[in-house]
Amino acid sequence: MELALCLIFFLSGTSALLFETLWFRLAGLTFGNSVWASSMVLASFMGGLALGNHLAGRLAASLRRPLRAYAALEAAIGASGLALVLVFPSLSSLFVLLFRPLLDHPLLLNPLRLGISFVLMAIPTTAMGATLPLLVGTLARRESSYGRLLGRLYGWNTLRAVAGALAGETVLIGALGIRGTGVVAALLNGIAVLGTLTIARRIQSEGVVAPPPGERAERGGGVLLVAAFLSGGLLLALEVVWFRFLLLFTDGTTLAFAVMPAVVLLGIATGGLLCSWLFRTRFDHEAWTAVVALGCGFALVLGYASFQPSPPPAATATALALRDTAMALRLMLPVSILSGVLFTLLGRALQKRVGDATVATAHLTLANTIGAMLGSLVAGFVLLPRLGIEKSIFTLALAYGVAGILIAAAELAKSGESHRLQRFGFAAGLIAQAITLAVFPFGLLRNDFLPHITEAFRRDGSRIVAVREGVTETATYLRRDLWGEPYEYRLVTNDLSMSATTLLARRYMSLFVHLPMAFHPDARRALLISYGVGTTAKALTETRSLQSIDVVDISQDVVDLSRLRRFDGGHPLDDPRVNIHIEDGRFFLLATEKRFDLITAEPPPPKNAGIVNLYSAEYFQLIHDRLAEGGFATYWLPIYQLEGGEGKAVIRAFCSAFADCSLWSGAGAELILMGTRGTVRPASERFGRQWSDPITSESLSAIGVASPEMLGTLFIADAPTLRQLTASTPPLVDDFPQRLSWRPVTDLAPDFAPLFDVRAAQSRFAHSATIRALMPAPMIAATVPNFRYEAFMQHYFFASQGPGTVDMSKEVSYVLAHTSDRAIPLILLGSDAAAQRIADRVQSNDPMRLWTLGVRALSERRYADAVGLLQRASELAPASKVIARDLALARNPPLPVRD
């Protein structure tokens, strides 16, 4: 019977973790994916478990048929859990009226999130919390060793969590979707109910078995409950810190977020089962409870001090999964195993004092769960933002020492004396932990790990100028100087380059604004979702017609770090039209009642955990609905980060919300989706307004769009072409988030190669009904011949790895001969306006500065000046092939030709 109930418990636990995964995904759509919202949902979940623990302890004595009660709990979990999965998506419209007045008041909004999420999850989580105490109490009637029973059930209980966490992420959600996985979870509960009732009838036919004579209850369990509270809080706090640390070395995909908790759960399960096995021996296990607590602190410090990041593997899904798993096992498994042992030993010690198995288990799990709930909150909102990863690990290791001392004190208070071996073990453990704390490797993160993860971004000469370990991420700001002055900035969050100010990045980020503003020059209200390094925000503040600019970002630290960036003409955050909202972008769109003429967004990479719902059809529809009549939306599409079917799923999702969807080139494979709401009237003579403004004209010229005729050459495809491309691909929707998988992508999908055929795009442009609706006819005619120059630009952005790394001499000669454009040849030669401004400000005979001034003279057709500057640069750097190449071009300038 015991083995059968363990298997039933395994199935029901798998269901519980599946439900937990689904609820957290769906709650993010309703409450937002900000760290505050996620923490409130987690607190609600843990609060429900704690309530179930409490009720099990209070009501256990009155249950005459505990197995039937257990079956009823499993039925309640399945029914209410599935109902919650099915109704969660429809709740957003109901709660929006409550959230809207509190949108910019987090001190009021977050308690409301907590209360609503607790009420929604109360029934299934309370039932989940009552299952372990009830089952332990039932089996204790047939098991003489409580410690062996608790360890076995606790181990099976946690192993089920491993199965649920991995099965949902790797198989079920991808194949069946959110709702389908919810049905599977409910079916598992149904199997558990049937199995439990079958066993209950068999026991009833055998007659009721009275519980074995209990051990005499002892006093002094309060300290043990404090220790259980601490152990639960420390492990959950440590889990938060570990996750933040490991995200510095992983890709932050949903798979990584499944693997890391699975490793912790595997360790806990192993510890529980190991302790159950040890209770078969005659060894005095409980005497070593304090030593185990000290061992957790020792193993924690040792794991951090000896941690070595795994080298980057071959970019395959299996290789990445194995790498992430290996790092997680090395770092987290030892402490997790000891935590499983500690929980079981504390339970046995508590049961000696309480007497009743069900009550002891209920009190133990209640204290442990409340500690876990508070521990995760303290780690996320106090330890990490105030102390950082390293000091948080030190503090938690120290706290394990406090827990060990408390447990040792409780043992001494109980017996008045302790075994000599126990005293020796405790003293040795205390000394070992004291030594590890005394030699804790402070500075390892800053001096070794952060330089390691930013190495690839520092090869161009960039250096770390700031590190912020905030509530949501570890953010590192890098800066690259030219001749002693700031030139380029890069924001790295965890291990990902999230945003930068390179020419390629500045080009497509600025076009998020300049592209739609050409078609809607009367826009007054704009919304930017995801601030990054501020490039798009700067383009918005440079647009004089805008009267209000709302900026939404999930991280206050990212916004604050942008203060390190130097902006010509003033920082965008200082513009009085700008209003900052620290909130999840989807939640903001859901809750706000504002309407915008322009909404633009560049969220984190789409395969990052929690980001998929910022690329779904429901989200794009939400953007559409928040546009004013005639408003425009532009959206980042990093097509190189997506497999063929994935990219098509995103495009189809966007086109399902925007009937006139279109695709535009940003820079290389950085694409822009654009759509409108309602009827858009042609801009006619107002189309070129941005080029008549000296500020926006200079910004557009700096990114190679120096004239209105060049803007249209960014066109790739309109709605008919995109719908034909994606006809056989289902859209990315909230219910099937794994249509965007966690698999890595190394090359541009062949499906998208035709999109980068500029000649074909030219033909589509000339015949596009969307273009005829947006642009005046004379401008369309003037734009068509300029597509050849966009082909040059795309060749450069795809091929360039830095200034002068790709030979564009032939293309530059053609542009110099056939146009008066200065921006395009300057870019094709490997320079940009930012480098030119610095070269003008500094006084230096550095050959690269002379080359920078020389290629500008060349782009301005001042060939004699170019020869002089490049000749001097060549004399100082005779081995430079780039300088020699451009000097030859200046000495043999192309003759002007009219097309």
Side-chain angles (χ1 to χ4, degrees):
M1 182 195 76
E2 183 178 328
L3 178 59
L5 282 176
C6 285
L7 291 174
I8 289 171
F9 205 32
F10 181 89
L11 289 178
S12 69
T14 303
S15 166
L17 257 292
L18 287 174
F19 275 136
E20 180 184 350
T21 301
L22 301 179
W23 296 338
F24 272 74
R25 280 183 176 269
L26 293 170
L29 306 181
T30 300
F31 302 117
N33 277 313
S34 71
V35 65
W36 293 100
S38 301
S39 298
M40 294 302 106
V41 173
L42 176 61
S44 300
F45 181 85
M46 301 298 287
L49 295 181
L51 179 59
N53 301 152
H54 172 70
L55 292 177
R58 292 288 300 272
L59 302 177
S62 62
L63 296 175
R64 295 177 58 85
R65 297 178 175 177
L67 273 185
R68 292 185 180 274
Y70 175 79
L73 290 175
E74 291 293 347
I77 294 170
S80 60
L82 178 59
L84 194 54
V85 169
L86 297 178
V87 304
F88 233 136
S90 61
L91 296 177
S92 299
S93 58
L94 176 64
F95 294 140
V96 67
L97 297 178
L98 297 174
F99 295 146
R100 183 167 290 163
L102 307 177
L103 183 57
D104 291 315
H105 304 282
L107 293 179
L108 298 175
L109 179 60
N110 288 323
L112 181 62
R113 284 166 164 158
L114 175 63
I116 293 175
S117 58
F118 179 80
V119 170
L120 289 175
M121 293 188 287
I123 293 177
T125 55
T126 300
M128 289 176 184
T131 55
L132 179 62
L134 196 59
L135 203 55
V136 170
T138 300
L139 291 179
R141 297 169 180 264
R142 293 171 171 260
E143 170 64 65
S144 60
S145 172
Y146 172 83
R148 186 161 62 89
L149 173 64
L150 177 64
R152 185 183 305 113
L153 283 179
Y154 184 56
W156 279 96
N157 181 35
T158 312
L159 276 179
R160 66 186 186 160
V162 178
L166 294 179
E169 188 58 44
T170 60
V171 179
L172 295 176
I173 295 176
L176 304 175
I178 298 292
R179 294 184 180 89
T181 303
V183 171
V184 170
L187 288 174
L188 291 176
N189 282 114
I191 295 172
V193 170
L194 293 176
T196 304
L197 291 177
T198 300
I199 294 173
R201 284 194 295 269
R202 183 178 303 170
I203 292 176
Q204 186 176 2
S205 66
E206 295 174 358
V208 177
V209 179
E215 298 177 67
R216 184 175 58 86
E218 302 169 354
R219 302 181 61 184
V223 175
L224 293 175
L225 289 176
V226 172
F229 170 86
L230 282 176
S231 65
L234 291 175
L235 185 61
L236 259 291
L238 187 54
E239 191 171 343
V240 172
V241 175
W242 272 336
F243 285 12
R244 175 68 66 80
F245 178 66
L246 285 174
L247 283 175
L248 296 173
F249 312 101
T250 68
D251 294 329
T253 63
T254 53
L255 179 65
F257 272 81
V259 165
M260 289 188 282
V263 168
V264 174
L265 294 170
L266 177 64
I268 295 172
T270 303
L273 294 173
L274 175 63
C275 200
S276 176
W277 177 79
L278 288 174
F279 270 107
R280 293 177 180 271
T281 69
R282 300 176 60 86
F283 190 66
D284 186 9
H285 321 92
E286 298 152 48
W288 294 89
T289 306
V291 179
V292 172
L294 294 175
C296 288
F298 177 81
L300 171 57
V301 176
L302 186 63
Y304 175 70
S306 62
F307 181 81
Q308 292 292 328
S310 297
T316 65
T318 302
L320 289 174
L322 290 175
R323 180 202 65 174
D324 294 349
T325 302
M327 287 193 294
L329 287 170
R330 292 200 305 269
L331 181 69
M332 301 189 292
L333 191 62
V335 179
S336 299
I337 292 175
L338 289 174
S339 296
V341 173
L342 180 61
F343 178 89
T344 309
L345 292 177
L346 285 171
R348 173 57 178 148
L350 184 64
Q351 190 264 343
K352 278 187 175 181
R353 289 157 173 77
V354 173
D356 184 84
T358 304
V359 173
T361 308
H363 289 177
L364 174 71
T365 52
L366 175 63
N368 195 260
T369 302
I370 294 176
M373 178 178 65
L374 295 179
S376 63
L377 295 176
V378 169
F381 299 117
V382 179
L383 293 181
L384 285 171
R386 291 182 179 274
L387 301 180
I389 292 173
E390 206 161 67
K391 291 181 180 178
S392 294
I393 291 175
F394 177 85
T395 301
L396 293 172
L398 182 62
Y400 270 118
V402 173
I405 293 172
L406 284 175
I407 295 168
E411 286 296 317
L412 289 173
K414 179 195 73 171
S415 62
E417 60 179 15
S418 58
H419 298 296
R420 179 180 301 175
L421 186 60
Q422 176 191 0
R423 292 198 303 271
F424 175 78
F426 177 73
L430 198 60
I431 292 171
Q433 190 182 36
I435 292 173
T436 57
L437 292 175
V439 298
F440 188 88
F442 289 110
L444 190 61
L445 181 70
R446 294 271 180 142
N447 299 331
D448 290 75
F449 293 137
L450 287 180
H452 172 81
I453 64 174
T454 59
E455 180 182 3
F457 310 125
R458 293 185 289 108
R459 290 171 184 164
D460 61 358
S462 297
R463 59 187 177 88
I464 297 174
V465 294
V467 177
R468 184 73 59 85
E469 295 184 69
V471 174
T472 57
E473 73 285 292
T474 300
T476 308
Y477 230 64
L478 291 90
R479 191 181 81 194
R480 177 187 171 203
D481 292 347
L482 277 183
W483 310 300
E485 292 207 12
Y487 173 47
E488 291 176 346
Y489 297 84
R490 184 176 298 275
L491 170 66
V492 177
T493 59
N494 299 323
D495 74 327
L496 292 174
S497 176
M498 199 62 66
S499 193
T501 65
T502 60
L503 173 62
L504 182 147
R506 283 186 283 114
R507 177 177 164 94
Y508 79 84
M509 292 179 193
S510 298
L511 285 171
F512 287 145
V513 176
H514 295 309
L515 176 64
M517 287 303 300
F519 305 124
H520 192 7
D522 296 326
R524 297 290 181 263
R525 299 173 302 278
L527 170 64
L528 167 63
I529 299 175
S530 295
Y531 181 79
V533 291
T535 298
T536 306
K538 183 61 175 176
L540 288 168
T541 58
E542 289 178 344
T543 305
R544 299 176 191 269
S545 65
L546 292 175
Q547 297 174 352
S548 69
I549 302 169
D550 287 272
V551 177
V552 179
D553 199 282
I554 204 167
S555 171
Q556 182 68 58
D557 295 311
V558 167
V559 175
D560 292 342
L561 280 171
S562 76
R563 288 290 184 181
L564 297 173
R565 179 184 172 185
R566 180 185 297 179
F567 286 91
D568 293 321
H571 200 287
L573 295 179
D574 295 330
D575 192 298
R577 298 170 294 171
V578 172
N579 301 297
I580 296 290
H581 309 271
I582 303 302
E583 187 53 82
D584 172 68
R586 180 161 177 159
F587 181 81
F588 180 86
L589 287 170
L590 174 70
T592 187
E593 56 185 349
K594 294 181 180 180
R595 294 294 182 270
F596 302 94
D597 300 308
L598 169 61
I599 297 177
T600 185
E602 185 197 2
K607 295 200 173 192
N608 279 26
I611 306 301
V612 63
N613 296 114
L614 299 183
Y615 285 86
S616 66
E618 292 87 348
Y619 178 61
F620 290 137
Q621 186 63 48
L622 192 56
I623 291 177
H624 174 276
D625 295 344
R626 291 298 174 266
L627 286 173
E629 188 69 18
F632 278 72
T634 53
Y635 213 83
W636 180 49
L637 180 63
I639 204 70
Y640 57 95
Q641 297 183 16
L642 304 171
E643 295 177 347
E646 296 170 346
K648 291 178 182 179
V650 173
I651 293 173
R652 185 163 181 189
F654 188 86
C655 290
S656 71
F658 295 94
D660 63 345
C661 59
S662 54
L663 188 64
W664 300 73
S665 173
E670 308 280 4
L671 304 185
I672 301 171
L673 287 163
M674 187 170 75
T676 67
R677 175 173 179 167
T679 304
V680 180
R681 56 194 181 95
S684 61
E685 73 281 352
R686 299 171 298 135
F687 182 83
R689 181 181 294 179
Q690 294 181 100
W691 288 268
S692 63
D693 182 299
I695 295 177
T696 52
S697 176
E698 181 181 353
S699 296
L700 282 161
S701 179
I703 60 174
V705 189
S707 66
E709 293 81 4
M710 285 300 301
L711 188 73
T713 66
L714 303 175
F715 175 84
I716 293 177
D718 58 11
T721 301
L722 295 177
R723 290 195 170 92
Q724 182 180 7
L725 175 70
T726 62
S728 61
T729 304
L732 179 63
V733 293
D734 291 340
D735 191 42
F736 281 88
Q738 289 196 353
R739 286 176 182 164
L740 210 61
S741 74
W742 43 263
R743 292 186 298 271
V745 176
T746 55
D747 298 309
L748 187 66
D751 307 49
F752 300 118
L755 294 177
F756 296 97
D757 184 340
V758 177
R759 188 182 297 274
Q762 180 184 35
S763 176
R764 291 192 292 267
F765 173 87
H767 298 91
S768 171
T770 299
I771 293 299
R772 289 195 296 273
L774 293 175
M775 295 177 66
M779 185 59 65
I780 295 175
T783 297
V784 170
N786 287 284
F787 269 84
R788 70 186 66 179
Y789 306 118
E790 174 61 16
F792 297 163
M793 294 287 284
Q794 290 307 312
H795 179 200
Y796 173 78
F797 284 124
F798 272 112
S800 177
Q801 299 296 319
T805 55
V806 55
D807 187 359
M808 303 291 290
S809 300
K810 293 181 179 179
E811 291 84 351
V812 171
S813 294
Y814 189 92
V815 177
L816 293 175
H818 291 79
T819 75
S820 60
D821 192 291
R822 298 178 178 182
I824 294 177
L826 185 65
I827 292 172
L828 297 182
L829 287 166
S831 187
D832 63 13
Q836 296 295 330
R837 286 193 294 269
I838 297 174
D840 283 338
R841 286 197 298 265
V842 303
Q843 297 296 321
S844 170
N845 284 325
D846 180 89
M848 291 309 295
R849 174 180 175 269
L850 297 175
W851 170 81
T852 299
L853 296 173
V855 296
R856 181 174 69 188
L858 187 56
S859 69
E860 294 174 349
R861 283 75 170 173
R862 294 185 289 110
Y863 299 119
D865 292 341
V867 169
L869 289 164
L870 293 171
Q871 179 64 48
R872 289 168 54 197
S874 180
E875 292 169 357
L876 293 171
S880 173
K881 295 180 180 179
V882 172
I883 296 175
R885 180 196 67 202
D886 296 338
L887 177 59
L889 181 59
R891 285 173 171 168
N892 300 280
L895 297 175
V897 177
R898 287 190 177 183
D899 285 333

